[in-house]
Amino acid sequence: MFQITKRLFLLIFVISTLATANGCKKDSNKKNEDQASLKGKWTFTLENAKTYKNGALIYDVDDDGNGDSFLEFTDDKVTYTYRDETPQTYGYTYDASVKRLHIAGNDALTYEVETLTNKKLVLIWKSDVRGGGQMDVYTTTYTR
């Protein structure tokens, strides 16, 4: 009887230890995602462009990245390299509380940060500059 109780205790101990370790691992991954930083080099991987007119989708196209366009964030600057063009450097601000990224420059833009993890950055930019009830929505994905 003692032998069965001892084995049962060991089995319960092993199961609870594994369950606790697995739970901690999930919390650790979530914490890392919450603390993800823009800083570093991001490679353009996909952009989806949609155009809506009076709320109806009239244009939807994807552009796959080919690994030659980048965003590189430092403490106070972002350098944007698009394909073989000359890199451009701008100031930027990021407000994590509202998930907004503002990049200064001649064509200053403000993005919604849909996703920011250690490996993936998804930015959304909306423009209604054409007017007439038309809205362009660009969803751009970067990875590192």
Side-chain angles (χ1 to χ4, degrees), residues 46-91:
L46 176 69
E47 182 171 72
N48 174 259
K50 292 182 179 175
T51 300
Y52 298 88
K53 180 133 184 156
N54 298 319
L57 181 65
I58 60 171
Y59 179 78
D60 185 358
V61 68
D62 288 332
D63 176 15
D64 293 334
N66 57 6
D68 60 0
S69 299
F70 303 95
L71 285 177
E72 187 164 6
F73 291 90
T74 60
D75 286 334
D76 60 348
K77 298 181 280 191
V78 59
T79 300
Y80 173 66
T81 304
Y82 182 74
R83 305 221 160 119
D84 293 326
E85 295 178 5
T86 303
Q88 303 292 318
T89 301
Y90 305 102

Side-chain angles (χ1 to χ4, degrees), residues 89-101:
T89 301
Y90 305 102
Y92 78 93
T93 55
Y94 175 58
D95 186 342
S97 66
V98 292
K99 295 185 173 187
R100 293 268 190 264
L101 170 66

